[in-house]
Amino acid sequence: MSRQQSSAFSIGSLVLTPKQDDFCYYEDMTETELRQALEDIVYSNLFLRLENDIFERYLARRDPESLQTIAQILETAKRVQKIAPQHSRTSPVISVTGSLVNVRDRDSVSVASVRSGSRHVTPSLLTARAPTGGTKITYMHRIEMANTEIRELQKGLEKFEQTSTKKKIYLRARMEESQISTRETCRTREEFEENVVQKGIDSITGKIPAEKFIRFVEERLKVVDIMVEQIRLKMTTIKCQIRKVKLQLKQRKELGEALRAIDFEQLNIENEVCIRKIDEKTQYLLEMKRIVGHYSIALSKHKEKVEGLMLIMNEIKDKIVSKRQEIINLQSEQIATKIEIEKAEKQLKSTVELIENFEVPSVIDSIKMRMKLQELQRIHKQLSRQREIQRITLKSRKQLRDIS
């Protein structure tokens, strides 16, 4: 009885009617119109397929048994399409009105009219025509079904993302564990080769003593035990932290459940007080901003004045530096002038002394000195000529000697 309430199907009779009007309509269309009509039909076919997919998903969740009945009806419609050309040869285009199915869901909220079978339009579970006695699915119910399927897909996607994230974290942890294990194994192998295989060989027998191997294994086992103990302590600490967090969450949840209306009223009052204080602080802040703006203008003016005074002061400093440099130059010139004056005074003093102590020689002595000077000049000239002659003679002799 419940099955009859959950879904009700009414199967009508098959009606085969030739479509002469449609054929004439297509005969009168141009090639462009036929192409446009074909595109519209393809688009409508795609849209109807999407509607069928949504409706099948909806029925699969609400009433899976109705899908079997719909599949049987569609198979019957396909068989009718195969039989129809044998009964009607007058028109190349035949419209087959298949079995009419009225599907009512479990909640008896909506009814789907299903009509299958058409040569030039894909049958739709949602938009097919129904006789006057059937009930159609409204657009509101279609939107509701589409939204329901979207929500279900979103939930499935969220679950898949959560599962993928957990799996990714698990695989990443496994990869890190494998990498750590690989590194530890390589390090242990290197230590074993270095301490046991290379350095542990007995010089007499040429073999590895068992004691060294056993000692190495025992040391590694001790290290492993220490690491296991550290990991155990770490896991214990993490479990304690998780327990504390769960306890805090539980307390917060209990506290949230223990809240009453008066608590919210108190919070509203506190919020109003805080808002009032915020407004006061905002007004005070605006007043401070106005004062700051006024003093900022005054400060900018004073800064301009200070900049002008700084320029004047820099010019004065430059002048002072130049004057000091001039003073230094004048002082150096003064020192040089003093030295020159001292030299001139010395020369003047020596000249005065020379003038005072100078005695004029007699004329006869001067004439004798001049005659003696002329005689010496003549002798010097003769000696110079003799030296030149001797030099030429010596040079000619050297040339003759070289030739001989």
Side-chain angles (χ1 to χ4, degrees):
M1 186 68 182
S2 61
R3 183 178 299 178
Q4 292 177 358
Q5 291 178 356
S6 62
S7 63
F9 298 90
S10 61
I11 303 174
S13 60
L14 297 175
V15 180
L16 302 177
T17 57
K19 294 289 184 177
Q20 294 290 341
D21 296 336
D22 292 345
F23 178 72
C24 296
Y25 175 71
Y26 287 126
E27 286 290 336
D28 295 336
M29 292 173 67
T30 61
E31 184 178 357
T32 306
E33 292 175 350
L34 286 172
R35 190 178 292 109
Q36 184 65 34
L38 180 61
E39 291 178 357
D40 294 339
I41 291 170
V42 170
Y43 179 75
S44 176
N45 190 6
L46 177 62
F47 182 72
L48 294 175
R49 286 179 185 275
L50 292 175
E51 283 187 343
N52 288 338
D53 184 58
I54 292 172
F55 191 57
E56 286 176 1
R57 290 173 182 270
Y58 185 80
L59 289 179
R61 287 188 298 101
R62 292 294 186 91
D63 192 4
E65 295 178 357
S66 61
L67 290 176
Q68 298 178 359
T69 307
I70 292 172
Q72 294 175 1
I73 293 169
L74 291 176
E75 290 178 359
T76 305
K78 288 180 181 179
R79 287 197 298 270
V80 170
Q81 286 180 352
K82 292 179 181 179
I83 297 170
Q86 298 176 2
H87 294 279
S88 178
R89 297 180 181 178
T90 58
S91 176
V93 180
I94 299 173
S95 175
V96 180
T97 303
S99 301
L100 178 66
V101 182
N102 292 331
V103 181
R104 189 182 303 274
D105 62 359
R106 294 178 182 177
D107 298 332
S108 298
V109 176
S110 61
V111 178
S113 297
V114 181
R115 180 186 178 188
S116 64
S118 176
R119 278 298 183 91
H120 46 274
V121 179
T122 303
S124 173
L125 296 176
L126 301 179
T127 59
R129 294 181 181 178
T132 56
T135 306
K136 294 183 179 180
I137 296 178
T138 61
Y139 285 103
M140 293 299 295
H141 191 62
R142 292 182 191 179
I143 294 170
E144 182 183 355
M145 286 192 292
N147 291 330
T148 304
E149 291 302 319
I150 289 170
R151 286 193 295 270
E152 292 294 330
L153 289 174
Q154 287 178 351
K155 289 180 181 178
L157 182 61
E158 290 176 358
K159 290 181 181 179
F160 180 73
E161 287 179 352
Q162 292 176 359
T163 307
S164 301
T165 304
K166 291 180 181 179
K167 191 173 181 180
K168 183 179 179 182
I169 293 169
Y170 174 73
L171 293 175
R172 186 179 295 171
R174 290 292 300 274
M175 287 175 63
E176 291 178 356
E177 183 181 358
S178 301
Q179 291 176 359
I180 293 169
S181 178
T182 304
R183 287 197 297 269
E184 290 292 331
T185 304
C186 293
R187 189 163 59 84
T188 305
R189 181 176 61 82
E190 291 175 357
E191 291 179 358
F192 179 77
E193 290 179 353
E194 182 180 359
N195 297 326
V196 179
V197 177
Q198 296 178 2
K199 297 181 181 180
I201 298 174
D202 193 357
S203 59
I204 298 173
T205 59
K207 296 180 180 180
I208 300 172
E211 292 82 4
K212 291 187 177 181
F213 178 75
I214 293 170
R215 191 182 306 114
F216 178 79
V217 173
E218 289 177 353
E219 290 177 356
R220 295 304 304 173
L221 289 175
K222 288 180 181 178
V223 172
V224 171
D225 291 336
I226 292 169
M227 292 177 65
V228 169
E229 185 66 21
Q230 291 177 355
I231 293 170
R232 188 182 64 79
L233 292 174
K234 189 175 180 180
M235 291 295 294
T236 305
T237 306
I238 292 171
K239 286 181 180 179
C240 291
Q241 291 178 357
I242 292 170
R243 196 179 299 111
K244 288 180 181 179
V245 171
K246 286 183 178 179
L247 184 61
Q248 290 178 0
L249 290 174
K250 186 177 180 181
Q251 290 177 356
R252 289 181 181 179
K253 188 175 180 180
E254 291 177 354
L255 183 62
E257 292 176 355
L259 291 174
R260 297 179 181 178
I262 190 170
D263 297 328
F264 292 102
E265 292 178 359
Q266 185 177 359
L267 285 175
N268 290 328
I269 294 169
E270 291 178 357
N271 289 333
E272 290 177 357
V273 173
C274 292
I275 290 169
R276 194 180 303 112
K277 289 182 179 179
I278 290 169
D279 293 335
E280 292 176 358
K281 297 295 182 182
T282 305
Q283 294 295 330
Y284 178 74
L285 183 61
L286 292 174
E287 185 67 22
M288 291 295 105
K289 284 183 178 180
R290 188 180 62 79
I291 295 170
V292 168
H294 174 70
Y295 284 105
S296 296
I297 295 170
L299 181 62
S300 61
K301 291 181 180 179
H302 288 295
K303 281 184 178 180
E304 291 177 357
K305 290 182 181 179
V306 170
E307 287 177 358
L309 294 174
M310 288 294 292
L311 291 173
I312 295 170
M313 187 178 69
N314 291 328
E315 291 177 357
I316 294 170
K317 284 183 178 180
D318 294 336
K319 289 181 180 180
I320 290 170
V321 171
S322 62
K323 295 296 182 182
R324 286 179 180 176
Q325 189 66 32
E326 289 178 359
I327 290 169
I328 292 169
N329 294 330
L330 291 173
Q331 287 178 354
S332 61
E333 289 178 359
Q334 184 181 4
I335 293 169
T337 305
K338 285 182 180 180
I339 294 169
E340 290 178 357
I341 290 169
E342 290 177 356
K343 288 182 180 180
E345 287 178 351
K346 288 180 181 180
Q347 289 179 0
L348 179 61
K349 187 176 181 181
S350 61
T351 304
V352 170
E353 290 178 355
L354 181 62
I355 290 170
E356 290 178 354
N357 298 325
F358 181 73
E359 293 180 358
V360 180
S362 62
V363 177
I364 296 170
D365 293 334
S366 176
I367 292 169
K368 287 180 180 181
M369 288 295 292
R370 186 175 294 278
M371 290 175 66
K372 190 176 180 179
L373 178 62
Q374 290 177 357
E375 183 66 22
L376 289 172
Q377 287 178 354
R378 186 179 61 78
I379 293 168
H380 179 267
K381 190 174 182 180
Q382 289 177 358
L383 291 174
S384 297
R385 286 178 181 177
Q386 290 177 2
R387 186 175 64 81
E388 184 68 23
I389 291 167
Q390 289 176 0
R391 188 180 64 77
I392 292 169
T393 304
L394 181 62
K395 186 176 181 181
S396 61
R397 286 180 181 179
K398 284 183 179 180
Q399 289 178 358
L400 291 172
R401 189 181 299 169
D402 293 335
I403 292 169
S404 62

